[in-house]
Amino acid sequence: MIIAKTVAEVRSQVREWKKEGLTVGLVPTMGYLHEGHASLIDEAVRQCDRVVASDFVNPTQFGPGEDLESYPRDFDHDCQLLEEHGCNMVFHPSVDEMYPDGNGKTDTYIEILDDMPRQLCGKTRPIHFRGVCTVVGKLFNIVTPDKAFFGQKDAQQLAIIRRMVRDLSYGIEIVGCPIVRENDGLAKSSRNTYLSEDERKAALVLSQAIRMAEKMVADGERDAKVILDAMTAHVEKEPKAKIDYISAVDGVTMANVDKIEGNVLIAMAVYIGSTRLIDNCIVNA
Ligand code: AMP
C-alpha cells in the first residue's frame, strides 16, 4: 500500500491509474480505524479497481471545546487494517498540506446555506458540516474518484454530501454503507474508546432505542411523536445519558416530520458522560 503525505503524490499516482483505464474509489476517514471503516474499504474494493483512503483529523469540522486535540490517533494500526482490506493508497496529509494558510484555517468553504446542516447534529455543532463539506470537496478535487463511500452511521453527513455533489456537479457516485455494530448493538465508533467500562454499558441505550423505533414502525406506529417519546423515556432511564436530540426527519432534506411516511431517518445524539454518541435508522413506510 502506498502511503502518500502530499497532494502531489496522490495526484500523480491517480493519474497513472486513470491512464491505465482503472476506476478509483475514495473512502474518507479521520483514522483510528475499526470494522465500520473496514466495511467501507471492502465495498470500495468490490466496486472499484483502485481504492484510496484518506486518514486525516480535519480541524475545520471541530468547534471550540470539541475533541480535536484528544481525538484518538494510531496511524500504524490504520495502515495495517487498510492493507489487510486491500486498500491501495492511504492519504495521510499534515494539517498544513490540507490548509496552506496554516493552523488548520481557511477562508474558502463549501457550505449548504439552507437548513439541512443546521438540523440534528448541526444544532449543537454549527460549523461542523461546513468543515465536512470543505474537506470532502478538497479530497474530491485531489483524488478525483469515480465513487466515494460513506457510512450510514453518519446519516446527516451522507445526506449532505449527496446534496453537495448534486449542487456542485461533482461527477462522483456516492455510495452509502450500512452501520457496523458491536455484538451487543453499539454502533462502532472511534469515540467509543473514550467510554469507561460503566459508560460502555450505559451506551447501549442508544441502539436499544433505535431498535425500539424500528419495531414500533414495523408494528404499524406512524406517529413520530409517539415513537420519539418512547425512545426518550428509554434513554432517560439511564442516569449517565443526556439527550442532545432524538428526531424523526425526512431522509433527504433532514426536515422534521410528524408522520412516518416514505423514507424517514430516526436519528439521535446522546452524551454518555462527556462522550457524544450518535445512532440512527432509516425506516420506510
Ligand atoms: P470517521 O473516521 O468517523 O470520520 O468516519 C469515516 C467514515 O466511516 C464515515 O463515512 C463514517 O460514516 C464511516 N463509519 C464510521 N463508523 C461506522 C460504522 N460503525 N459503520 C459504518 N460506517 C461507519
Side-chain angles (χ1 to χ4, degrees):
M1 182 177 68
I2 300 160
I3 298 177
K5 302 234 173 199
T6 65
V7 172
E9 285 170 87
V10 176
R11 286 217 164 103
S12 101
Q13 182 57 60
V14 170
R15 208 175 297 128
E16 289 306 311
W17 286 335
K18 292 205 168 172
K19 250 192 252 163
E20 294 172 47
L22 301 171
T23 58
V24 177
L26 170 66
V27 181
T29 85
M30 297 210 299
Y32 211 71
L33 304 181
H34 49 67
E35 285 96 334
H37 300 106
S39 73
L40 270 54
I41 300 288
D42 292 343
E43 191 55 36
V45 166
R46 271 194 288 276
Q47 295 197 25
C48 303
D49 299 320
R50 294 290 180 272
V51 173
V52 181
S54 60
D55 188 315
F56 178 63
V57 181
N58 172 41
T60 62
Q61 70 190 65
F62 287 78
E66 293 184 357
D67 57 346
L68 173 60
E69 278 79 30
S70 59
Y71 195 84
R73 292 161 167 88
D74 186 347
F75 186 59
D76 290 341
H77 172 263
D78 291 349
C79 285
Q80 203 182 320
L81 178 143
L82 290 170
E83 191 142 31
E84 275 168 19
H85 286 265
C87 179
N88 302 97
M89 174 159 65
V90 59
F91 177 41
H92 184 52
S94 66
V95 170
D96 287 353
E97 181 71 12
M98 286 299 272
Y99 295 106
D101 286 346
N103 298 321
K105 299 262 184 297
T106 180
D107 290 324
T108 306
Y109 287 102
I110 300 174
E111 184 168 19
I112 295 173
L113 293 178
D114 80 358
D115 264 357
M116 198 174 179
R118 275 157 278 278
Q119 309 286 351
L120 306 177
C121 290
K123 286 200 176 130
T124 46
R125 307 188 73 192
I127 63 158
H128 177 65
F129 290 111
R130 182 184 80 167
V132 169
C133 286
T134 302
V135 79
V136 171
K138 284 170 70 71
L139 290 167
F140 285 176
N141 291 334
I142 295 164
V143 179
T144 63
D146 298 281
K147 300 188 183 195
F149 298 79
F150 293 86
Q152 184 61 42
K153 158 94 192 319
D154 298 271
Q156 188 178 12
Q157 167 174 286
L158 175 57
I160 284 174
I161 296 296
R162 287 191 196 285
R163 171 84 184 273
M164 174 182 95
V165 162
R166 190 201 70 172
D167 288 358
L168 298 183
S169 309
Y170 281 105
I172 297 170
E173 184 186 331
I174 301 303
V175 181
C177 302
I179 301 178
V180 176
R181 298 178 178 280
E182 304 285 355
N183 287 336
D184 60 8
L186 179 67
K188 285 188 186 264
S189 165
S190 307
R191 289 191 169 98
N192 291 349
T193 186
Y194 297 147
L195 301 171
S196 69
E197 211 174 299
D198 285 352
E199 289 171 343
R200 171 69 184 73
K201 283 188 200 131
L204 287 180
V205 288
L206 282 94
S207 53
Q208 286 164 353
I210 290 294
R211 272 204 301 269
M212 181 183 274
E214 285 173 326
K215 182 163 188 315
M216 288 176 82
V217 175
D219 290 347
E221 183 58 63
R222 295 291 176 265
D223 185 335
K225 185 169 182 309
V226 171
I227 296 168
L228 300 178
D229 284 351
M231 294 171 76
T232 302
H234 181 73
V235 174
E236 283 178 344
K237 275 192 247 156
E238 171 51 61
K240 290 187 167 48
K242 191 171 141 289
I243 296 170
D244 178 356
Y245 67 81
I246 300 182
S247 304
V249 299
D250 179 277
V252 176
T253 65
M254 306 286 110
N256 281 313
V257 297
D258 298 328
K259 282 261 158 291
I260 309 296
E261 253 171 14
N263 201 18
V264 172
L265 170 70
I266 298 180
M268 65 198 301
V270 173
Y271 287 91
I272 301 293
S274 56
T275 303
R276 187 174 176 282
L277 300 176
I278 56 173
D279 204 342
N280 71 80
C281 63
I282 299 271
V283 289
N284 265 294

